Amino acid sequence: MIRRPKPGESEEDLLRLQEEFLAREVASSANVVKKGDKRKNVAGTAQQNRVEKDVVQLPGADPSSGLPMGATSDPPKKKSKFRSSRPAAGDYGVRGQRIEIDLDRDEDPEVAMERHDTHITSVLSKIMEHDTSNAAVHLPRGTTQGFPTALHRGHTTGAQNGKPHKKRSLFAQQFESSTSNQFGVSTEPQSEQPIRAPVSSSIQPHSTHPMRVSDLPMASSSVEENMEMGESIAAESSPQEPHVISGAGLLQGSLDPERARKDIQQIHQENLGRLSAMSEEEILQEQQKLRQMLDPNLLKFLQSKGTSKPTQKPTSSSTPTSKPQADSENDSMDTESSAPMATEPIPEEKMTQETSKQRVHFDDNAGGGVDDGKKEEQEPDEPPIEVKKEWVNMNKVESDKISWLKDMPKPSAKAKEGYQARFDFNGMLVARDADIPVREGLHHHGEEQEVPGYSLEELFTLSRSSVVQQRVLALQTLARVLYNCRISDIGGELMEPLVPKLLEAGVLFLFRWSLDDVNEGVITACIEGLAALLIQPGDESTSDRVFSWYQGSETTPMRPVVEDEEDESGQKIEDKEKSDPQLASQDVIKALLRMSVLERLRYILEVVRPPAPVVLNALAILIRIARHSQEATHEIMKCPRLMQTVFAEFLPLASWKSQGDVVSEAYNYPLIPALKLARVICQNGRHFAATLLAKYNLMSVVVRYASMEPVDMPMNIGEAFQLSTEAFRVWQVCVSYGLACDTYRDLYPLLMQQLQVFQRLSILPLDSTHDASAKAANRLQMTRACTVLSMLEGVIHVAGSAVILQQKQTMRSDEQSQQHPRAPPPPIDWSHVSGLMSPLELCAKRWLGEMTNCSDVLEAEALSLVGSSLNFLASVYENWTRQPSYSPVDCLQHIEELVTRLLVPFMTSTSFYSVVCNLKSHSSVSHDGNSSLPIISALPDFSCHPEDQSLVYPCVKQTSSYGFAAGLLRLVTTLLKIHKGMAAKFCPIIESTYVTEYLKAVCKHPHQSSASQLVGSWARYEHHVLYYLVKLYYHVAQQSESCHQYSILYHSTALVLLTSLQSGQEHYVHDLLSTVLFHTDFLAEGRIGDPIASDLADMLTMNGKEETAPSTNSSHQGPTRGELLQDAYDHLGSIRHLYMVYFGAAAQALTRSRARSLHQPHDIDTLSLPEFTGPLVPMDWIFLPLLHLYVEAQKAEMLGKTVKSFPPHILASITDTLRWVFMLETWRPKCLQMVPQAAKVARLYCIFLTGNDLFMEDAVSGFLWPILRIYTQPEYLKALDFNVPVPGVASFHDLYMSILTQYEAVSFGNRLFAHFILLPIQQQFNPSLRKAVWFDRVGVLRSLGLPLRECAIPLTNFLEPKETNPELVEIYLGCVASGSVRPSWSPVMYLVAVSHLSKFLFTRDNLDQVEAVRLKLKMIRQVLALKDKVLQQQILQYQGLDLTQPLGFNLYPQLPLERLEILQAAEKR
């Protein structure tokens, strides 16, 4: 027995076992037997002898199987009988048999092959052509139809002529049952005689009458002929036969056709009987029901079936002879079953003449009924060209096609409301009456073909064409339309913004779906369209221009502000639960990410490898997606092989081939957008930058492009400078996080060499002798130098923070280090950067000196370069004082020399004044907050135009000097922090007329950015300038008393700046609150005796008033206004503490903002600012502690807790808030004008709604009374408006109802509270507020006992204008008649009721309607019926307001004659 192999045996053991098995010659346990195929010819198979010589095999044969190439184990196909009857292959053996040829030793295989294989020549030699010289040639039989009648599978008739039913296809059955006549071919032999037509055909070929569409056989007529009814057309059109219900289904499926015909006729008779029994009205009702139920197309089809067809009377000259229909059908059946018809040849000339006589006319009644069975013949219009005989293939004149050769009709006149927009292929609007030749291709559309251009609807339709060129053309046109709309250069005006409409129509989905096309042209057009849709052309260039400004590397996320949506249960609806159209309507970038656009772009860049323009557009799209948010950047980073493809293909480290000015091949060539994409990704977070550095070796790319001089790069000089500049920008971003500092040490010699080159660089504009290319190269060189200085500034911050990190590391214990690990110290320290100060200081001195002596306007690149050098010096001095090697003496000497020799001369020169004037002309006060370019809510942008600077936000225009001014003021402020003794030298700057005029313009028109428009985020660069101007005054005012005269201006500037700061500038808010707003140097009124002067002014005002004027002094005897101002001034410290605590709640955001503002690289996580939502501090920030207290009290009451009293610190916080409000309303009233007056009153309502007696506290009421006096002054009352929505209040009516309820419950007739109740019910406001008091809360009238002479609000505001609301006047009468309002209870309300009643009853208006007159007479009768005769007399004889009277009004001595007549008329009725 053979032993089986065991595990562990080697290959030698297996070979040994094999030899033993073969030596025994034992039969195998299983044999493979190849069984022959029964379907093959076995007789032809023969055993072949193996030959040991070379074997030549036919091409395609498998030497191992003997089967031809391509043969498989599948069974062969069945052979036809004809194929099986062929003789054997003869010498060539059976088909598929292996052929072996013996070769002699020296014989050529090709010669042997030719000797044995001769089957090809034998076949080719036996080809013989059939002799057709004597065969008759028959032309194709003529037809009377352009196309055969369509056959319908539902109209087959089954067996014909009693033949047994065979299993055939539906088409075969239908074709067999059809006659040649139905296809327009006559069975009669063709001759010169008129062709006979069967009776079933409704066409007479040689009729003298022209043919019409209604004369042609329709599908319904052919079906009736196939039913074999045996009647003529005349009989079919009679009412004895059904027209709509043909019964084809019964005939087809029935074995007894006669029985089926009888059933059809019976059904038809029953239908006729039922119709005859119905009246005409019932028939019309049923028709109306059918019209409502049936589809319009189906209804039209049924109506056409019931329409009778006109019959043509034959003329005497050509009367067709016809047989009965049954005979015709039999003949046609015989003809079809026989051989092909033989016809006599017809001369071509005669055939042409006959066909030319047949003219087809088209009318509008095709398929419809004919009045009286007749139609008027209409001759066709004259053709635009004369058809000649000799023209090829023009035997038959087709008028409808020739009509396209006519001239286009003139377009209709322009409508008043506008017309549909049409665009040319460049995306520009085309005028309706534009004279554009037809050859331009702008008239090839369906509607309004006479008007040039394509509408958006037509472009959308064309983009779904099956023709690739049409799709590409439509997508390219849409892309250009979008681009032109983006730059507001569309060549006309549109009634609505176009881009939002296109998004609503689904252009985003059109581009995304078309992006999956395999055609490269479609892909190119789609990417161009996506780039035009997503990218505002001028945004990137503006962002690059301000990148080197102070904090210019910070970026604002370009994501829309979307409010959270909730479902019916109150749960937040997540993005994943929204559909694609819903998400696209809110956020376009999120929708694209969901639709896997990144994966598709990666595939296009990696596999398709499109041309350079497509690659540039794709990279621009990726940059826009990365600017959306950190989430979108994360999607880019995790997309498989996307960044790997970008780095490998478009950021090569090896040498590359030089190209011309236009890049033709993008692959293996450095592209600036690819490097910019890496920079934008790094700006979104430290972890992104670290990933690019570690995984994709980003610094190798940066060093490759930054270390080489632009002039040495094998590329266009402009692109070389831009590539080098972008490399330094990427380096700057990485250094901002404290990364990539090792490279600085490696490239230190190269950087020092660059600084020496910069020392020879001049910022003065080149003279006219230099050409444009030289000037452009000079600008590019200054831009590159500016970027290098910004990068070195970041290195300074990293080196300066090394000491701080080392100190923190040593102070922390081991346990704290394990729990909260800190960043390790950077690889560089102050010793590595100390050598940079000297060359940079030389550069700054030269450039600032050139500006001092220059009278020309400098270019934007020159100002940015000088600003970067000043920012570098400011950073050096900031970090120098923290170093162990800091020498105070040397530092102060450096500062004195810098200020005396450089800064002071410049800041007193005309160049500085021109810079300040530039600040005023480019301030945001000249911007209305709205963008001039189209705004897309789902796709926000910075609204920058690429060329027209007038459409760019003012402070970032190309001519703006804000970048330079921020660097200069920052340097001055930093120097004054270190050397306070130099503050007096900057007094001329603080007192400069140019500076003060600029600040006055800012305070006069405070700018409020809209949260919905991202363009407002550019204002942060102006905020830097204003912040350092205020800080400069803060340092100078402490050393110089002469500057205090400008304290009001700078304090007002600080207040305006506080309400303008944006998210990400929390550090500025904190610093202004802690050092500026509550500082006594900014509130100099408290030190110069203003409180005493206020009391003196009040005394003079009181003495000047008339004794009859109402006064509030008697109602509240408390501290004077001067005493209150002095008290508030003395409590500035506690007020500051209150607001610092309130605004310090967002500690995390404050920490991030402080790290960016103080340049602490180890604490900066991202350079992406928080989402832009408008101003960080609301306009009514001074009232926020009151709102916070009210909200907390409402929460406590909702939990069932009763707020009975407040602790002292809560009471102190409310008092401090009122102190601050009173101080600002007195000393800074213009700064609070931006807060609506109604909003101020609504905020003060929170005091009355919080607790039961908080408003009665002496400290609280002591400040509420003077605030009330301010708010009741005429200018404040004029600005008060409760008719418009109050900011921050969902419904003021509901708030007022709450106030009335609180007053009725806890006021006890408090007069202070009563004044705040009376403010909203003045006559100029909404009547609903007055109804709330007089009708909804009548109990309030009982306790509203404010005396007339103590009312601070002018009483005329309650009496004028007269009341015109009849319902409210009736309420007045009801209240005074019922005694709810009495002069002793509420004198003000009683006066209001009597005055308006009298005026309403006895004032005649020309516009009085009949109903108003009736109401007046009715109310007069009610007044006459009053039991209270005193009230009756007061209403009837009221004369006017008179505060000398006890009731506040006087009466007529006797009833005027006019009123008497009205009373008499009322009594008669």
Side-chain angles (χ1 to χ4, degrees):
M1 184 176 180
I2 303 300
R3 185 174 63 86
R4 293 180 177 275
K6 296 181 179 180
E9 293 184 348
S10 63
E11 187 177 355
E12 295 178 356
D13 297 333
L14 296 178
L15 293 174
R16 180 174 49 80
L17 292 175
Q18 181 181 358
E19 292 176 357
E20 292 178 358
F21 174 78
L22 295 176
R24 293 187 181 185
E25 297 182 354
V26 180
S28 60
S29 59
N31 295 327
V32 179
V33 179
K34 185 173 183 181
K35 196 173 183 179
D37 193 348
K38 296 180 180 179
R39 293 172 293 183
K40 289 188 176 180
N41 187 6
V42 184
T45 61
Q47 184 69 22
Q48 298 184 7
N49 297 325
R50 301 274 180 183
V51 182
E52 298 298 333
K53 296 181 180 181
D54 294 340
V55 178
V56 177
Q57 184 185 353
L58 292 176
D62 189 356
S64 62
S65 62
L67 296 175
M69 184 176 179
T72 61
S73 60
D74 297 335
K77 299 181 180 180
K78 293 182 179 181
K79 300 180 180 178
S80 64
K81 296 179 180 180
F82 178 77
R83 182 67 179 273
S84 302
S85 63
R86 287 181 177 177
D91 297 337
Y92 305 109
V94 181
R95 177 178 175 85
Q97 178 181 346
R98 180 175 178 178
I99 301 176
E100 297 182 359
I101 305 174
D102 296 339
L103 296 177
D104 295 335
R105 180 172 300 178
D106 298 331
E107 186 176 8
D108 187 5
E110 185 176 357
V111 175
M113 187 70 178
E114 291 294 336
R115 186 177 70 251
H116 289 82
D117 189 9
T118 58
H119 61 285
I120 298 178
T121 57
S122 63
V123 171
L124 294 178
S125 61
K126 294 180 181 179
I127 296 177
M128 297 180 63
E129 184 177 359
H130 184 66
D131 186 12
T132 59
S133 58
N134 298 324
V137 179
H138 300 280
L139 293 177
R141 189 173 296 275
T143 176
T144 57
Q145 297 179 229
F147 293 95
T149 303
L151 303 181
H152 298 271
R153 58 179 295 182
H155 297 153
T156 57
T157 59
Q160 298 291 334
N161 297 332
K163 297 180 181 179
H165 180 73
K166 296 181 180 180
K167 185 177 181 181
R168 295 184 180 181
S169 65
L170 296 176
F171 178 78
Q173 298 177 34
Q174 175 69 32
F175 190 81
E176 183 179 359
S177 64
S178 303
T179 63
S180 59
N181 297 328
Q182 295 175 356
F183 297 100
V185 180
S186 175
T187 58
E188 299 294 334
Q190 296 182 2
S191 62
E192 296 182 2
Q193 298 299 325
I195 300 175
R196 298 180 179 272
V199 178
S200 59
S201 176
S202 60
I203 305 176
Q204 297 182 7
H206 295 275
S207 175
T208 57
H209 299 282
M211 295 169 54
R212 307 178 187 272
V213 172
S214 58
D215 300 334
L216 298 177
M218 307 300 291
S220 59
S221 63
S222 62
V223 171
E224 290 175 359
E225 292 174 354
N226 292 335
M227 287 174 25
E228 299 182 359
M229 299 297 293
E231 287 81 11
S232 64
I233 293 298
E236 287 181 2
S237 61
S238 65
Q240 299 300 326
E241 295 295 336
H243 301 286
V244 178
I245 309 300
S246 60
L250 290 176
L251 288 174
Q252 177 182 355
S254 176
L255 297 177
D256 189 0
E258 295 298 331
R259 177 84 175 268
R261 294 189 184 97
K262 292 181 180 179
D263 294 339
I264 294 172
Q265 189 65 24
Q266 184 179 358
I267 294 173
H268 179 55
Q269 294 299 331
E270 291 178 358
N271 292 337
L272 292 178
R274 181 169 297 181
L275 286 174
S276 60
M278 297 173 63
S279 63
E280 184 177 357
E281 296 180 356
E282 292 176 348
I283 294 176
L284 293 177
Q285 291 178 0
E286 294 298 328
Q287 287 181 355
Q288 186 65 23
K289 291 180 182 179
L290 290 175
R291 289 191 181 96
Q292 297 175 357
M293 294 169 56
L294 297 180
D295 182 67
N297 295 328
L298 178 59
L299 186 63
K300 185 177 180 181
F301 170 71
L302 294 176
Q303 290 176 347
S304 65
K305 291 202 67 174
T307 305
S308 60
K309 300 180 181 179
T311 58
Q312 296 180 356
K313 296 181 180 181
T315 59
S316 58
S317 59
S318 60
T319 305
T321 61
S322 62
K323 294 184 290 185
Q325 185 175 358
D327 297 340
S328 176
E329 290 179 358
N330 294 333
D331 293 343
S332 64
M333 291 297 298
D334 296 339
T335 304
E336 290 177 0
S337 60
S338 62
M341 295 179 295
T343 58
E344 292 294 329
I346 302 176
E348 184 177 355
E349 295 81 1
K350 187 176 291 293
M351 186 176 181
T352 303
Q353 294 175 3
E354 292 178 356
T355 55
S356 62
K357 294 179 181 179
Q358 301 179 5
R359 296 181 297 173
V360 181
H361 287 203
F362 298 88
D363 56 13
D364 297 334
N365 298 329
V370 184
D371 296 339
D372 301 333
K374 297 181 180 179
K375 294 182 181 178
E376 296 183 0
E377 300 180 5
Q378 299 178 0
E379 293 296 332
D381 297 335
E382 291 296 329
I385 60 174
E386 182 181 357
V387 181
K388 297 183 179 180
K389 258 184 175 181
E390 55 271 16
W391 289 357
V392 182
N393 296 330
M394 289 296 291
N395 299 332
K396 183 177 180 181
V397 179
E398 298 177 285
S399 303
D400 56 335
K401 296 181 179 179
I402 296 179
S403 62
W404 283 91
L405 299 176
K406 295 181 180 179
D407 294 335
M408 285 291 180
K410 294 183 179 180
S412 57
K414 179 180 177 181
K416 295 182 179 180
E417 63 274 6
Y419 54 89
Q420 188 178 27
R422 293 190 174 274
F423 303 88
D424 59 11
F425 296 132
N426 292 323
M428 303 295 290
L429 278 174
V430 179
R432 191 175 181 83
D433 54 351
D435 187 12
I436 298 178
V438 180
R439 62 176 177 271
E440 297 294 331
L442 297 178
H443 297 79
H444 299 167
H445 46 79
E447 298 180 358
E448 297 182 326
Q449 58 183 358
E450 68 276 5
V451 182
Y454 287 84
S455 65
L456 294 177
E457 182 180 0
E458 292 166 350
L459 290 175
F460 270 74
T461 304
L462 198 62
S463 65
R464 298 191 296 270
S465 172
S466 59
V467 182
V468 175
Q469 290 82 355
Q470 292 180 349
R471 296 204 306 272
V472 172
L473 183 65
L475 293 172
Q476 285 180 345
T477 305
L478 285 173
R480 291 162 186 171
V481 169
L482 287 169
Y483 180 84
N484 294 334
C485 289
R486 281 291 200 170
I487 62 176
S488 294
D489 186 18
I490 203 169
E493 295 183 1
L494 298 174
M495 298 177 64
E496 297 181 14
L498 186 59
V499 181
K501 287 295 181 183
L502 285 173
L503 280 175
E504 185 180 351
V507 69
L508 178 67
F509 299 97
L510 174 63
F511 285 144
R512 180 60 191 92
W513 296 333
S514 301
L515 193 63
D516 292 334
D517 202 297
V518 297
N519 184 270
E520 189 172 339
V522 177
I523 293 175
T524 301
C526 286
I527 291 186
E528 181 184 356
L530 278 178
L533 175 64
L534 300 179
I535 302 169
Q536 180 64 34
D539 285 355
E540 292 299 327
S541 59
T542 305
S543 299
D544 293 341
R545 186 171 62 250
V546 303
F547 189 84
S548 298
W549 291 8
Y550 178 64
Q551 295 187 359
S553 59
E554 298 177 357
T555 178
T556 303
M558 301 176 66
R559 64 185 304 172
V561 180
V562 181
E563 298 181 358
D564 294 337
E565 298 181 3
E566 297 180 354
D567 54 13
E568 297 178 355
S569 60
Q571 298 294 330
K572 179 183 176 181
I573 301 178
E574 301 293 339
D575 289 340
K576 61 183 179 181
E577 300 175 2
K578 300 176 183 176
S579 62
D580 288 347
Q582 288 177 340
L583 189 60
S585 64
Q586 298 176 354
D587 195 329
V588 172
I589 300 298
K590 279 187 177 181
L592 280 175
L593 292 177
R594 178 189 284 186
M595 292 186 284
S596 304
V597 71
L598 295 178
E599 289 78 1
R600 183 59 182 170
L601 290 177
R602 191 270 311 160
Y603 176 83
I604 293 173
L605 294 176
E606 182 184 19
V607 179
V608 179
R609 301 176 72 89
V614 182
V615 173
L616 295 176
N617 282 332
L619 293 174
I621 293 172
L622 292 175
I623 293 173
R624 175 60 182 88
I625 294 176
R627 288 192 180 277
H628 176 268
S629 60
Q630 290 182 335
E631 293 80 2
T633 305
H634 178 68
E635 294 293 331
I636 294 177
M637 292 294 292
K638 75 176 186 179
C639 181
R641 303 193 306 279
L642 176 58
M643 293 305 300
Q644 179 181 355
T645 303
V646 172
F647 274 86
E649 301 292 348
F650 311 121
L651 295 174
L653 295 176
S655 60
W656 58 85
K657 183 180 179 181
S658 177
Q659 301 189 33
D661 295 339
V662 179
V663 178
S664 58
E665 177 58 38
Y667 287 84
N668 296 322
Y669 187 83
L671 296 181
I672 301 172
L675 197 57
K676 186 174 185 178
L677 174 62
R679 187 243 297 178
V680 174
I681 290 176
C682 292
Q683 286 178 278
N684 280 315
R686 174 194 294 269
H687 55 292
F688 295 132
T691 302
L692 292 182
L693 291 173
K695 187 176 180 180
Y696 300 103
N697 203 7
L698 176 60
M699 283 313 299
S700 298
V701 177
V702 172
V703 172
R704 175 70 174 85
Y705 303 142
S707 60
M708 182 182 294
E709 287 293 333
V711 293
D712 298 333
M713 292 184 182
M715 58 193 312
N716 178 272
I717 186 65
E719 292 184 356
F721 270 105
Q722 293 177 7
L723 183 64
S724 179
T725 302
E726 194 60 48
F728 278 106
R729 286 172 181 165
V730 175
W731 194 358
Q732 175 187 347
V733 173
C734 294
V735 168
S736 300
Y737 302 123
L739 305 174
C741 295
D742 296 334
T743 310
Y744 164 77
R745 294 186 305 180
D746 300 336
L747 297 182
Y748 182 80
L750 177 64
L751 294 174
M752 292 300 296
Q753 182 181 0
Q754 290 291 330
L755 294 181
Q756 294 176 1
V757 174
F758 295 161
Q759 292 177 9
R760 300 190 297 269
L761 183 64
S762 175
I763 63 170
L764 298 177
L766 299 179
D767 53 21
S768 58
T769 58
H770 296 81
D771 56 0
S773 60
K775 294 181 180 179
N778 185 45
R779 290 194 296 269
L780 291 172
Q781 189 174 4
M782 287 190 291
T783 302
R784 180 174 177 269
C786 182
T787 308
V788 173
L789 296 185
S790 299
M791 186 275 298
L792 293 177
E793 181 187 357
V795 174
I796 291 291
H797 292 302
V798 175
S801 63
V803 177
I804 301 176
L805 291 177
Q806 291 176 357
Q807 293 175 355
K808 291 182 178 180
Q809 197 73 19
T810 56
M811 293 174 59
R812 295 166 61 88
S813 62
D814 296 338
E815 182 178 356
Q816 292 177 346
S817 299
Q818 293 178 1
Q819 294 179 356
H820 303 283
R822 299 284 298 186
I828 59 175
D829 54 20
W830 193 253
S831 63
H832 294 92
V833 299
S834 57
L836 297 176
M837 182 175 178
S838 178
L840 260 299
E841 194 170 357
L842 291 176
C843 291
K845 288 181 179 179
R846 174 180 179 173
W847 295 334
L848 207 59
E850 290 179 347
M851 286 190 65
T852 305
N853 301 322
C854 178
S855 59
D856 298 333
V857 178
L858 298 180
E859 295 178 339
E861 293 79 7
L863 287 176
S864 298
L865 179 58
V866 182
S868 297
S869 65
L870 299 179
N871 278 316
F872 179 86
L873 292 178
S875 299
V876 168
Y877 283 104
E878 279 181 0
N879 292 275
W880 189 9
T881 57
R882 296 196 292 260
Q883 305 305 316
S885 60
Y886 170 66
S887 174
V889 177
D890 295 341
C891 181
L892 295 179
Q893 289 178 355
H894 274 88
I895 292 176
E896 290 178 359
E897 182 181 359
L898 184 64
V899 170
T900 304
R901 297 185 178 181
L902 189 64
L903 295 180
V904 171
F906 171 74
M907 300 183 77
T908 55
S909 65
T910 56
S911 298
F912 175 74
Y913 297 143
S914 63
V915 169
V916 178
C917 293
N918 183 277
L919 296 180
K920 183 179 179 181
S921 61
H922 290 77
S923 174
S924 58
V925 299
S926 61
H927 195 267
D928 57 359
N930 297 320
S931 173
S932 301
L933 298 176
I935 297 297
I936 310 171
S937 60
L939 196 64
D941 53 66
F942 295 120
S943 301
C944 296
H945 198 278
E947 298 176 357
D948 190 358
Q949 290 295 308
S950 63
L951 300 179
V952 181
Y953 197 81
C955 66
V956 292
K957 290 182 179 180
Q958 194 168 3
T959 56
S960 172
S961 62
Y962 274 95
F964 168 77
L968 176 65
L969 294 174
R970 178 180 171 229
L971 175 62
V972 172
T973 305
T974 302
L975 297 179
L976 291 182
K977 285 182 183 179
I978 302 172
H979 196 335
K980 294 181 172 33
M982 304 300 296
K985 294 185 177 293
F986 294 96
C987 280
I989 300 173
I990 297 297
E991 301 172 358
S992 171
T993 306
Y994 298 96
V995 176
T996 55
E997 289 297 326
Y998 165 60
L999 295 181
K1000 287 178 182 178
V1002 171
C1003 296
K1004 185 177 181 181
H1005 304 284
H1007 175 67
Q1008 284 289 329
S1009 300
S1010 174
S1012 61
Q1013 297 188 9
L1014 201 60
V1015 64
S1017 63
W1018 293 122
R1020 66 180 185 272
Y1021 295 106
E1022 184 175 6
H1023 299 163
H1024 298 324
V1025 174
L1026 293 175
Y1027 171 77
Y1028 282 111
L1029 269 176
V1030 172
K1031 295 295 290 185
L1032 178 61
Y1033 174 84
Y1034 169 75
H1035 292 290
V1036 174
Q1038 293 179 353
Q1039 306 297 327
S1040 176
E1041 293 289 338
S1042 61
C1043 296
H1044 288 173
Q1045 57 179 328
Y1046 298 99
S1047 62
I1048 298 177
L1049 177 61
Y1050 283 90
H1051 190 248
S1052 300
T1053 303
L1055 291 172
V1056 172
L1057 176 61
L1058 182 70
T1059 57
S1060 302
L1061 295 175
Q1062 305 167 2
S1063 299
Q1065 296 179 326
E1066 290 83 2
H1067 171 70
Y1068 285 174
V1069 174
H1070 185 271
D1071 189 64
L1072 290 176
L1073 290 173
S1074 59
T1075 61
V1076 174
L1077 293 180
F1078 306 101
H1079 199 278
T1080 55
D1081 288 338
F1082 288 87
L1083 292 167
E1085 293 89 344
R1087 297 191 303 174
I1088 60 178
D1090 187 76
I1092 301 175
S1094 299
D1095 285 343
L1096 181 59
D1098 290 343
M1099 293 175 61
L1100 294 176
T1101 303
M1102 290 172 56
N1103 294 332
K1105 284 184 178 180
E1106 297 181 1
E1107 297 182 358
T1108 57
S1111 176
T1112 60
N1113 293 332
S1114 58
S1115 62
H1116 174 70
Q1117 298 295 335
T1120 61
R1121 187 162 67 101
E1123 294 173 349
L1124 293 174
L1125 286 174
Q1126 188 63 47
D1127 177 71
Y1129 185 82
D1130 295 338
H1131 285 82
L1132 282 177
S1134 61
I1135 296 173
R1136 170 184 171 274
H1137 174 74
L1138 170 66
Y1139 286 96
M1140 288 288 293
V1141 170
Y1142 182 81
F1143 284 101
Q1148 188 175 3
L1150 178 60
T1151 302
R1152 290 194 295 264
S1153 176
R1154 183 183 287 114
R1156 289 191 299 267
S1157 300
L1158 299 182
H1159 309 285
Q1160 300 170 353
H1162 50 280
D1163 292 331
I1164 298 177
D1165 294 330
T1166 177
L1167 295 179
S1168 177
L1169 298 173
E1171 184 177 347
F1172 180 74
T1173 56
L1176 184 63
V1177 179
M1179 296 181 297
D1180 58 343
W1181 63 276
I1182 60 176
F1183 299 98
L1184 289 182
L1186 301 180
L1187 294 175
H1188 179 72
L1189 179 62
Y1190 169 69
V1191 171
E1192 294 298 327
Q1194 291 295 318
K1195 291 181 180 179
E1197 291 181 359
M1198 293 179 63
L1199 295 176
K1201 300 178 181 179
T1202 304
V1203 182
K1204 296 182 179 180
S1205 60
F1206 294 93
H1209 68 280
I1210 297 296
L1211 187 61
S1213 64
I1214 296 177
T1215 306
D1216 287 339
T1217 304
L1218 294 177
R1219 286 191 180 107
W1220 183 238
V1221 172
F1222 177 60
M1223 192 183 305
L1224 292 183
E1225 290 287 5
T1226 303
W1227 287 343
R1228 305 288 184 269
K1230 294 183 179 180
C1231 296
L1232 298 181
Q1233 287 181 354
M1234 67 183 75
V1235 184
Q1237 196 65 24
K1240 298 178 183 178
V1241 175
R1243 276 40 171 189
L1244 293 178
Y1245 278 166
C1246 296
I1247 299 177
F1248 299 98
L1249 293 174
T1250 304
N1252 296 333
D1253 55 355
L1254 180 61
F1255 61 91
M1256 296 183 181
E1257 296 287 342
D1258 294 338
V1260 175
S1261 61
F1263 282 96
L1264 278 177
W1265 273 110
I1267 293 174
L1268 176 65
R1269 295 190 192 102
I1270 294 175
Y1271 289 169
T1272 54
Q1273 293 177 3
E1275 59 271 17
Y1276 284 86
L1277 289 176
K1278 186 177 180 180
L1280 185 63
D1281 189 3
F1282 292 104
N1283 295 329
V1284 297
V1286 180
V1289 179
S1291 173
F1292 182 79
H1293 185 272
D1294 296 341
L1295 176 63
Y1296 189 62
M1297 293 296 294
S1298 301
I1299 283 290
L1300 293 178
T1301 303
Q1302 186 78 349
Y1303 179 83
E1304 190 176 4
V1306 302
S1307 68
F1308 298 101
N1310 184 273
R1311 296 180 179 180
L1312 175 64
F1313 203 162
H1315 276 89
F1316 283 91
I1317 292 294
L1318 293 176
L1319 279 175
I1321 63 173
Q1322 299 179 68
Q1323 196 62 25
Q1324 67 266 28
F1325 301 137
N1326 198 318
S1328 62
L1329 299 176
R1330 297 194 290 275
K1331 288 182 181 179
V1333 177
W1334 287 90
F1335 183 74
D1336 297 330
R1337 294 290 186 269
V1338 185
V1340 174
L1341 301 175
R1342 176 66 179 81
S1343 57
L1344 205 59
L1346 181 64
L1348 294 174
R1349 296 182 60 83
E1350 295 183 9
C1351 183
I1353 307 172
L1355 294 176
T1356 54
N1357 291 0
F1358 301 99
L1359 306 180
E1360 299 293 340
K1362 71 170 188 175
E1363 188 61 65
T1364 58
N1365 191 325
E1367 183 180 357
L1368 196 54
V1369 175
E1370 287 185 313
I1371 295 174
Y1372 290 160
L1373 179 58
C1375 289
V1376 295
S1378 62
S1380 300
V1381 178
R1382 299 181 183 180
S1384 57
W1385 291 351
S1386 50
V1388 175
M1389 307 308 290
Y1390 187 81
L1391 171 63
V1392 170
V1394 172
S1395 175
H1396 285 299
L1397 277 171
S1398 179
K1399 292 179 181 179
F1400 181 80
L1401 296 178
F1402 298 109
T1403 301
R1404 294 184 177 181
D1405 294 332
N1406 296 330
L1407 300 178
D1408 280 350
Q1409 303 295 330
V1410 177
E1411 294 296 332
V1413 174
R1414 292 178 181 176
L1415 178 61
K1416 287 183 178 182
L1417 296 178
K1418 174 186 174 183
M1419 293 181 63
I1420 290 175
R1421 289 193 294 270
Q1422 292 177 355
V1423 171
L1424 294 177
L1426 289 175
K1427 296 181 180 180
D1428 190 349
K1429 299 303 179 181
V1430 177
L1431 175 61
Q1432 180 183 24
Q1433 182 185 8
Q1434 292 172 353
I1435 295 175
L1436 297 179
Q1437 299 182 7
Y1438 174 83
Q1439 184 175 7
L1441 178 66
D1442 187 0
L1443 294 179
T1444 59
Q1445 300 297 325
L1447 297 179
F1449 58 88
N1450 52 13
L1451 304 175
Y1452 286 108
Q1454 58 182 4
L1455 198 64
L1457 179 61
E1458 183 180 2
R1459 296 189 179 185
L1460 183 60
E1461 294 176 353
I1462 295 175
L1463 293 179
Q1464 292 175 356
E1467 290 176 352
K1468 290 180 181 180
R1469 294 196 180 187

